[in-house]
Amino acid sequence: MSGLKRRWRDLPGRGPSPPPHKALRLSPEPGPSRGQDSCSILEDLDRLGNHNPEQLLAFLKAHTALLERALGSPGLSPHQVRAVLHALRCVTKAPLEPQEVQPVLLMVLQPPFMLQSLLGYIAHLETFCCEDGRISQEVVGDVVVTLHHLLTAFPGQARTLLCYPMDLLYATIQRLQSRGFQFTWITQKWLWDTKFLLDKAFPNQGELRSGSLASPASREDFHLIPVFPTPEDIFLEPTWKLKPNIIVGKYRSDAAYLDTHFRLLREDLVKPLRDGISAQFTLQNLFSGSEKVRGELLLYQNVWLVQVGASPSGVMYLAKYVSKQKAAPVSSKRLLSGSLVCLISNDSHHVLFGTVAGCNRKELPHGAVWLDLKHSHRSLQGHVGRTCFTMVESPAFFEAYRYVLEGLQEVVANHVPFRRYIVQCDLDISRPAYLEGEALPFDLSALRSLGSKCGLAASSSPQEEAPLVDLTAVSPFCSPLWTPETFPGLDESQILAIRMALSREFVLIQGPPGTGKTFIGLKILEVLLANQALWNKDCTPCLVVCYTNHALDQFLEGILKFQRSGVVRIGGRSKNQAVASCSLRNVRKQSSGFLLFGEKQQYGRMLGSLRRRKGSIACCTELLELLPRGILTGKELEAEITEDHLWVPEGGLLQWLKIYPPKEEVRPRRHRSCRRPAGTELLRYDKDERFLDDDYSDDDEKVEDLPGLKSKFAYILPAKESPSQTWMKSCLTEGDIMSSEEVSEIQDLWALRLRDRWRLYRRWVAAYRNKLVAVLVEKLEVYEKDAAQLQELTFQEDLKILQHSRVIGMTTTGAAKYRKLLQNIRPRIVVVEEAAEILEAHVLTALTSSCQHLILIGDHQQLRPKPADYTLERKHFLGISLFERMINNHLPYVQLLYQHRMRPEISQLLVPLFYRELQDHAVVLDYEKIKGVERSIFFVQHREEESRSVDSESYSNLHEASFLVSLTSYLLKQGYAESQITILTPYHGQVMKIRTLLKKQEMEAVAAHTVDDFQGEENNIVLLSLVRSNSQRKIGFLQDKNRLCVALSRAKLGFYCIGNLGCISASSKLWKEFTLLLKSKNLLGEELTLMCQNHPETKTAVKATADFSKLPDGGCTLKCQTRLECGHPCTRRCHPCDTEHRTNTCEFPCSKSLCAFSHKCPRKCGESCEPCSVKVEKVIPKCGHSQMVPCHVPAHSWVCEELCQQLLECNHPCKLRCGQDCRARHCRETVQVTLPCSHSTQTDCFRQKMPLLCYEKCKQRLECGHRCQGSCYKCLQGRMHAACRRKCTRVLLCSHVCQGSCCENCPPCGRKCLKKCRHSHCGKSCGEVCFSCKQPCAWKCRHHKCTQMCSEICNRPPCNEPCRKTLKCTHPCVGLCGEPCPPKCRVCHRDELTEIFFGNEDEPDSRFVVLEDCGHIFEVGGLDRWVDSAPDEGAAQHVQQKVCPKCATPIQGSPRYNNIIKARQQHIEEIKRKVQGSERELQAGKTALLDTLASVQLASHYFTQEALRRKVERSSSLQSLRSWENTMNFLQSTQRLKKQAEECGQERRRRLIGWAEAVEAWLGRREGDTFSAQQLKECRNEIGRISYLANIFVRLSSYETQLPDLPALSSAAVDEALQLLSPQKPFTDADEELLQATLEKIDALLPASGMRLSEAERVSVVEAMDFGKGHWYKCPKGHLYTIGECGRAMEESRCPECGAAIGGGQHRLNPSNAAADEILNPVEGATEHDSRLSNIVELTGLSDRLALPRLAPATPSPQLGSPSSTISSPKEAGTNPLEQALSPSSPLASPGSPSDSSSSLSCIQHAPTITDTNCPSVLWLPTHQPHSPPPPVKTCPGPASSGEENAEEYSPTGSAAPEAPSTPDGDSTSTVQLQTPVRALVENQEPPEMIHQAPETDSPPPS
């Protein structure tokens, strides 16, 4: 790829706007462009690229000469060619005439431009890249559009000039695609269309080939063609030729038959979608002549995937779109379940296919639909809420194609069922295989007395009712017996049909309209079921297949009359109640014996699992939907905030983001913490989900709102947003987020600008969302697997049910869908109803290899199958059914001759145009005439024009629609019911218009259908609208003879048609003959004559809707004048209905009086009177006020509306009405309240008596010197503070600045690891252990070569030979051989290169090295000394990577210093492993803590055992385990205190429990996982205070039961103790010392047996390890140790590993010890697995007494003192479970370590820390048993320049150094911090008071 890449922003019109240019003239007048050279005109053209196309065209025409000269010059730059192409594309997009644009296009047809400049431009297309690395689609589009127009405008140039750039463009695009570049599908379609135009100019080149864009439908084997469409199917024109259906003659082979029907059917599915998308997205060309007519394409704009859901069949996605309609039509066929949709992203990069999922359309909100998308959930989640699509719905109903196509692929060649007839068209029909051999007789008793049952045949005499022969044994092969005399209830054609159905294996029965096709089918099936012994020896059921659900319901309803059991319906829901009870779903519910007990249990478990997963998925999706509308709580985002090494802002995120919602919108917060568990436990709301029945479906399911989700949000935007809330929503949805680099620089969250706060919040939410999406994708994948397993189990159950049935009914689509069931059931007999209306492929897939008897019933002269594409129907004969094809091939069939539906006047219209032998049955001769109309059949002629619906592309005719609706209203007034009338029309657009008019006139119950949808139906009165009426005499599919036959044969009693028969008959010979027939029978006219029933002589002619207004009541214009019951006359006109006036309402005014005041009734006579509502003045007895009250309302029940004058209990005035209860509402006056902590706050008056929380800021200083950020409530009135969250500024091993807080040990670095090599880079964070590179080392030159692995120490020396390379400036390189060449030259950059830094830079023979990490250049000798030299004697150095001397960038990629870099990295990796702890140690600690947790019963509102268990299991370090161990210890203490409180009185018990729960709440509010030393001390002291109070309260409670009053002396002692234990201030060690004497006094005055008052609660505290602070050294033997804080040696000790002297004094290291630089030097022969850091110790400043093996609390003393533990078990006696797990006796102890109590791991856990003023701490951390205890060590006095005296030596007697003033940076004074619960346990004295004198300011201390 070329290195001169241009970015998208560099293209014209992209990115930042260029500087404004002087306006260019767009006319021929002289301007800036005149007088310029020929190429400068292209620069002007570039700047005009985005102007109006008309102006741009004028400019091009005005400068034709200049442009021709410019384009004629060879070697134009890509930028200039781009400007020309873009201008031409803009011009061709305008609605201009072709002759205006053609001269402009002619200018570019010059060989220099086409064969040089354009070819070079196309060859370098890849240089035009967008920022995402894709080729610019606009650039490619400019080339394609220009070539497309040139090919159409100048086709003669295709073989000379245009073929070369087009071929090169096509080849370039294919090459770029093979290299991974992506092009949109629209661009590829344009390219293919243009290539197609060019290939037509070369007709002798063979078939067109699309190369990489070949459609899968062109594959030779149809089994390899996917059923689901692909983008290639949609965007490419087909290049293969389809073979037509052979309607006369046989097929060559079974394979050819299957191949033909599969390809035809799939093309019928794909072609409408392809044509519609092609018309929508095809490149528009000015010279193409005619545009492509757009098909019936349903487009939905602005479609967004917004939600994911679960259904029984799998996962679905909710797509929302902007609908143009206000409400969806009631019967709209849009987006039906199973419809195919194609989603094309607005940038055309993504094309998704899916189907509409089965949802309840009534509950589906308008503008939304559920989709089943056939793509991975991970990729789809990337589109949810992020990608905007255009959704295209296919006109072809996909569900009807999908399973049939799959079934065709499964049919085995040469095994097509009935292949003799279907494929070979054999005329010799055999008998059924089960009748081979003997001609067994049939029991035909079911055919006895048919006339009396069905009315299809009339019995003329009693003798005809009795058969002449015995019908129990009749052979179908005995011809003499099959006569009307034998079967008196049947005619000849019916008898012949039944006989053929019983005697032949392949049966065709044609039934014209009304001849009883369904009746004959039922009788045949009844006979077959009665003779199952002949054919059903293996108990297989019969299969009944129908085209529509309605026809299937009718057929099964007839079966149920003679077969009451064993009938099962498979498929969609039935509207027939009797048939619905037989559905497979209901049978499955009712059956219980088909599944074994184990299978039932498995089914229940799987169903329950699906329900739980569905609820969890619903929670995830609901939460994802709420993210753009709400602010998450700090607790919910705690994990994401912690990952950035930040903390939740004090006061919450709302206050931090400056969001102040109204009080009524603030959601009350619960006490229980709503912290989010990790992983799959992110959501836990299954118990709130309302589950469904076992066989649930989406129609029944209603997922309730999940209120628990809202608890995760601090605030959620309401549905109606205010302007301020609109701003908040924009902040939530904005895309800009804060980068990791910016986050690392944050010191104080409150110091950020508001915009940056939002950017940081969006970063947290984005991380939160990514985790949530990952969890959701996993849940969806598991759900689909479970759903598939459940469906398999359901399949087995269904199979058992169907195997025990006798008749199975299903539609053709259902038969294909459930073909696996049919293959297992193996039905022998198949009956297909409506066979002539079913596509042949549908019938074929309903047959199995076991089928022996096929009965096809239908009428090929009525409606044929309806392919989606008209071309396939007419040219490829796809619309010819198997039934019609067999008749066309002269296979034997039977036609029924007698119709039982239509009155003779109607049936005569069908003969002889459609049926020559159709006859009327006697039952139709006595039909009554239609009431109110002169004729029962009539055709109304008109000339009103039609209209075309833009939305549906269907036709409608308002005149016809309104006329038929008015006629319907008139017929209803004659007494006909709405169910007796049906309106038919050929067009769906007319149906919708008619339904709209019916709804306006409240006649929705009248059915309106298309003719096609009413096939097989009938009604008493049918009204037909023909719709078509135009001057072009186009009548569309009214020419279809079959459709006309159906329309004329649906009515029984009356038929009325309206249409422009003159227009229609002029375009069709059939209609012309039919019109002549109507005229001959006087059934055609321009007016329909109506006749009054009451006055037959009165007739009215109507020809338009307005004429019906003459007959408002359906009679005539005369008045009724009948006297009503009330005495008034009827005011209506003549009305034939309601002659008794039972429903008539009198319209005269009512004359009744309503009350004692004689108020008249204001209503009409026919309406019921209501109580008098006239308002009169009345006195309210309760208050005496006068009010205007309705007359019928008593005064005592009226609520007085005057304002209340009373005062509430709080003396505030009542704001209610006089008649309302003053106690019904709380007083909301704002009052000032003094809280128990002495702070004041404002609140509502009624809240005064409630416990209020104090949010006053805590003003105390922490031990670190910073001000506490908590509040009075959170800090327990200053007794227990939150940890300090000021940023730590220490530099870590990785050279990054620590992002933790100042009070904690430095956590592992979370920034991206800097470690890299020439092969790869580390993808982990700095704090994790890196993987080693296993590639061979790449360091080599002509003199040396390394043969080690990349991560190993190199076995070659650095090369000092000069580099022999030459720089670009032709001067020699100043570097060394094998090193990267410095970009500076000794000649060209002399001043820069010789700038003195190390001292030898200006030497003439000096050589230089460039550091690739930062680019700085150094003289080799100086940099070698910098990197290799040892530090000053005793000088402490950080264990960090070597850095650049100028910019401090870590050196990673300099080959010369490979060994030093690798050695440092190896040692740093070992340090990481030691600090983090081994996996065995972690697992042992977790096991011990979990065992302890299991034995404890917690009763806390803030912690649960399950939550603590998860926290312990997720702990990733020993540090975290220690923190949770402390938490558990504190919680156990509070539990014991609450139990002790039960022994006190009610008030004291309440106070004690409240204090204990306050501690638990404080523990639950901790924002970090690690306790600071101050927190541990304060929490321990607080529990001690509560414990002392509990002892005193218990003692007082025991005495108060005996004495009414305490003695004065005792009372005073108790008051003194309670004063010292007051919660208004912290409980300090000094208070505890004073308390001891008082407690002894109380013990003496109020003696009691058992525990003494001083025996209070003790807490075992485990402090954190201090690995994170300090610097590393090694002893003479190579053992590593660390010195805390400043890292300077101030003490001497002995190495616990070898006994060598370690440390030093006065900030100088012992000469025998190595500093940091020396430590990291490589060891001879060392490898990356060298464990030289296995023994790590940290220097301590403690004496022998402090090197304690384990610090267990002492045995409780009987004397008054500090709180002690009351635990009696060994585990509770001070030995924490983590210590036990890591003790020497544990299997995790180090090998060979003694089992003495002074365990090394115990020392690590409990070693105390000495903190000095400037060098705060050093810590002793031996990993094995030390040989001898370390000696006393002095603490660091700090720098001499501080002017402070050195601290005294720490003595074993416990005396501490005197307090020193705090340093300017806020560090505390010299302090001794013990990691034991009470210092007296070790040294029998209290720890000194911690005094801090930090400056009084909120600003962070200087670093």
Side-chain angles (χ1 to χ4, degrees), residues 285-325:
N285 196 300
L286 295 174
F287 307 95
S288 59
S290 59
E291 295 184 0
K292 212 168 190 178
V293 180
R294 179 185 169 194
E296 292 186 11
L297 192 67
L298 302 177
L299 283 177
Y300 304 87
Q301 304 290 343
N302 298 325
V303 180
W304 297 84
L305 300 178
V306 297
Q307 187 180 346
V308 62
S311 69
S313 58
V315 177
M316 53 188 181
Y317 288 81
L318 180 64
K320 288 190 176 181
Y321 57 91
V322 178
S323 177
K324 298 180 181 179
Q325 301 177 347

Side-chain angles (χ1 to χ4, degrees), residues 1199-1204 1214-1222:
V1199 178
C1200 182
E1201 298 293 331
E1202 296 287 338
L1203 290 177
C1204 182
C1214 178
K1215 299 294 181 64
L1216 302 178
R1217 299 290 179 182
C1218 177
Q1220 294 177 315
D1221 187 4
C1222 297

Side-chain angles (χ1 to χ4, degrees), residues 1484-1764:
K1486 290 180 182 179
T1487 303
L1489 285 184
L1490 292 176
D1491 291 344
T1492 301
L1493 181 62
S1495 63
V1496 176
Q1497 294 295 329
L1498 288 181
S1500 173
H1501 295 292
Y1502 308 95
F1503 290 92
T1504 63
Q1505 286 183 304
E1506 179 65 19
L1508 284 173
R1509 183 188 62 80
R1510 289 195 300 268
K1511 287 292 185 181
V1512 172
E1513 289 177 347
R1514 289 199 301 267
S1515 297
S1516 58
S1517 65
L1518 294 176
Q1519 188 87 323
S1520 178
L1521 284 179
R1522 284 166 172 75
S1523 174
W1524 288 112
E1525 182 183 5
N1526 283 329
T1527 302
M1528 289 166 55
N1529 291 338
F1530 288 138
L1531 288 175
Q1532 291 183 65
S1533 297
T1534 58
Q1535 298 300 305
R1536 287 192 292 268
L1537 290 174
K1538 288 194 286 187
K1539 185 176 181 180
Q1540 188 178 4
E1542 298 297 329
E1543 303 177 21
C1544 304
Q1546 181 177 358
E1547 178 60 23
R1548 289 171 179 157
R1549 179 171 61 250
R1550 182 189 62 79
R1551 293 171 63 188
L1552 286 174
I1553 293 177
W1555 287 326
E1557 290 184 347
V1559 174
E1560 293 177 357
W1562 180 86
L1563 292 172
R1565 286 194 303 269
R1566 282 192 312 112
E1567 297 169 352
D1569 288 335
T1570 305
F1571 284 95
S1572 66
Q1574 182 177 354
Q1575 286 181 312
L1576 289 174
K1577 181 186 69 175
E1578 290 177 342
C1579 189
R1580 180 197 62 196
N1581 291 345
E1582 177 65 9
I1583 290 178
R1585 184 186 72 84
I1586 301 173
S1587 180
Y1588 285 129
L1589 286 171
N1591 290 344
I1592 295 175
F1593 286 172
V1594 170
R1595 183 71 57 86
L1596 292 177
S1597 298
S1598 64
Y1599 268 87
E1600 287 174 352
T1601 58
Q1602 305 171 8
L1603 301 175
D1605 295 317
L1606 291 177
L1609 207 58
S1610 301
S1611 180
V1614 170
D1615 291 343
E1616 182 182 354
L1618 295 180
Q1619 184 65 29
L1620 291 172
L1621 296 171
S1622 170
Q1624 303 298 330
K1625 59 184 181 64
F1627 183 65
T1628 64
D1629 296 337
D1631 294 334
E1632 190 172 10
E1633 291 180 358
L1634 296 175
L1635 182 65
Q1636 292 182 11
T1638 307
L1639 293 178
E1640 292 177 356
K1641 186 186 302 183
I1642 298 175
D1643 269 336
L1645 296 174
L1646 300 174
S1649 60
M1651 184 181 68
R1652 307 196 52 167
L1653 294 181
S1654 59
E1655 297 178 6
E1657 181 70 34
R1658 289 184 179 181
V1659 186
S1660 178
V1661 176
V1662 182
E1663 288 223 18
M1665 296 162 55
D1666 227 0
F1667 271 133
K1669 306 175 183 179
H1671 313 296
W1672 296 84
Y1673 301 87
K1674 74 173 182 179
C1675 77
K1677 299 295 185 180
H1679 300 125
L1680 293 178
Y1681 63 94
T1682 179
I1683 299 180
E1685 293 297 343
C1686 77
R1688 306 293 182 86
M1690 289 300 299
E1691 311 163 7
E1692 289 188 359
S1693 184
R1694 293 289 175 179
C1695 176
E1697 302 294 333
C1698 61
I1702 57 175
Q1706 300 300 323
H1707 285 187
R1708 298 187 65 83
L1709 195 65
N1710 190 305
S1712 63
N1713 284 227
D1717 285 339
E1718 199 171 329
I1719 290 174
L1720 297 178
N1721 287 335
V1723 179
E1724 188 72 26
T1727 65
E1728 60 174 325
H1729 303 292
D1730 191 11
S1731 57
R1732 293 174 59 233
L1733 299 181
S1734 60
N1735 301 326
I1736 301 177
V1737 295
E1738 190 169 343
L1739 189 61
T1740 180
L1742 301 181
S1743 63
D1744 300 346
R1745 184 179 296 242
L1746 292 180
L1748 298 177
R1750 183 179 294 112
L1751 300 180
T1755 305
S1757 172
Q1759 304 297 326
L1760 292 171
S1762 57
S1764 59

Side-chain angles (χ1 to χ4, degrees), residues 1305 1519 1522 1526 1573 1576 1580 1659-1667 1742 1746 1748 1750-1752 1776 1779 1802-1810 1817-1821 1872-1879 1881-1882:
N1305 289 328
Q1519 188 87 323
R1522 284 166 172 75
N1526 283 329
L1576 289 174
R1580 180 197 62 196
V1659 186
S1660 178
V1661 176
V1662 182
E1663 288 223 18
M1665 296 162 55
D1666 227 0
F1667 271 133
L1742 301 181
L1746 292 180
L1748 298 177
R1750 183 179 294 112
L1751 300 180
N1776 59 68
E1779 289 173 345
S1802 301
C1803 296
I1804 292 177
Q1805 296 176 37
H1806 298 286
T1809 301
I1810 297 181
S1817 68
V1818 287
L1819 186 64
W1820 177 263
L1821 290 174
V1872 177
Q1873 299 177 353
L1874 294 182
Q1875 298 187 9
T1876 58
V1878 182
R1879 180 176 171 181
L1881 299 177
V1882 182

